[in-house]
Amino acid sequence: ETGVTQSPTHLIKTRGQQVTLRCSSQSGHNTVSWYQQALGQGPQFIFQYYREEENGRGNFPPRFSGLQFPNYSSELNVNALELDDSALYLCASSRPQGALLSTDTQYFGPGTRLTVL
Amino acid sequence: AQSVTQLDSHVSVSEGTPVLLRCNYSSSYSPSLFWYVQHPNKGLQLLLKYTSAATLVKGINGFEAEFKKSETSFHLTKPSAHMSDAAEYFCVVSEGEYGNKLVFGAGTILRVKS
């Protein structure tokens, strides 16, 4: 069973540029969530996609956007990059096991380290 | 809204001695709680989860956690620390109203001395 994969591993951009990060979910998983982990902090929820629809969003501005594709892989796009966007971006996939989505286990990829100069 | 407080930012133990990482949560309804571990330059790995079944939850690598509703706590323990346990540990609560949003604590860095 293939786990969650993310690309690229590392990325360096300059302020004002745009970036696209990619995530392939674990086999059989139809839900993808994205998190931002700044240095020395716990991950912060950005948004979640379920069957290609956004299914919840955290406190991030609209310049953070996403997509989920029919094969359940996903992209995170960030426009007009700011220095504070420098972080580790984590993708997690899950598969609803029952009525309560809160009980589902999310499996994380290794992350993409974004540096904004 | 759900929240998690990890009471120690750093914990240092000697190899072979017990580990205790403390976590308190705030939740408006019956929560799902998780502990994840993050080794340097690696992704997050699930150690264990609580979903309103048994209050004592056993996880991987000898870790376990006990859900105590009266104390709103979910502390992580291990009887005997190993050098390979050195990592950062996150206590996590799940908000399930509109999906499965994970709310992370600030993390506890565990150091294991030889």
Side-chain angles (χ1 to χ4, degrees):
Chain A
E1 186 176 85
T2 306
V4 179
T5 60
Q6 293 185 242
S7 63
T9 306
H10 295 86
L11 204 51
I12 300 174
K13 292 285 188 178
T14 56
R15 196 169 50 182
Q17 285 189 312
Q18 178 266 343
V19 68
T20 297
L21 310 182
R22 296 179 174 82
C23 171
S24 291
S25 59
Q26 188 165 315
S27 177
H29 289 187
N30 57 13
T31 303
V32 172
S33 305
W34 286 92
Y35 295 82
Q36 180 195 65
Q37 185 178 18
L39 201 60
Q41 298 181 23
Q44 300 286 318
F45 175 74
I46 303 175
F47 43 56
Q48 180 181 86
Y49 280 84
Y50 173 64
R51 293 185 175 179
E52 303 178 59
E53 297 287 331
E54 188 176 291
N55 185 41
R57 188 179 182 94
N59 293 325
F60 281 82
R63 59 189 185 83
F64 285 78
S65 63
L67 281 174
Q68 188 180 31
F69 300 99
N71 66 355
Y72 303 129
S73 65
S74 177
E75 285 182 357
L76 164 65
N77 299 288
V78 186
N79 294 321
L81 283 166
E82 301 177 359
L83 297 180
D84 285 348
D85 296 334
S86 295
L88 180 68
Y89 288 85
L90 295 163
C91 165
S93 74
S94 57
R95 177 181 61 191
Q97 298 291 318
L100 277 178
L101 297 181
S102 61
T103 64
D104 298 335
T105 297
Q106 294 190 17
Y107 295 89
F108 284 81
T112 293
R113 173 75 62 188
L114 173 64
T115 302
V116 181
L117 303 176
Chain B
Q2 324 279 56
S3 67
V4 168
T5 302
Q6 292 184 243
L7 299 169
D8 307 290
S9 60
H10 293 78
V11 169
S12 182
V13 301
S14 297
E15 191 174 22
T17 64
V19 175
L20 170 63
L21 305 184
R22 299 182 295 164
C23 171
N24 287 122
Y25 70 90
S26 170
S27 173
S28 55
Y29 49 90
S30 184
S32 292
L33 293 159
F34 308 78
W35 275 97
Y36 280 86
V37 60
Q38 187 174 38
H39 291 273
N41 301 313
K42 297 280 184 68
L44 290 156
Q45 181 184 20
L46 178 70
L47 279 177
L48 50 81
K49 73 174 183 179
Y50 165 78
T51 58
S52 76
T55 56
L56 183 62
V57 182
K58 293 189 184 299
I60 62 170
N61 300 334
F63 284 95
E64 63 181 37
E66 186 171 8
F67 174 74
K68 292 187 176 180
K69 187 174 181 178
S70 61
E71 299 176 10
T72 61
S73 69
F74 190 58
H75 301 334
L76 181 70
T77 61
K78 182 174 179 178
S80 177
H82 190 273
M83 295 298 290
S84 61
D85 294 328
E88 188 163 19
Y89 293 78
F90 292 96
C91 182
V92 183
V93 65
S94 177
E95 284 193 6
E97 186 173 1
Y98 298 111
N100 191 4
K101 165 187 174 181
L102 298 183
V103 178
F104 284 75
T108 298
I109 294 173
L110 175 65
R111 178 187 171 206
V112 182
K113 299 175 290 185
S114 58

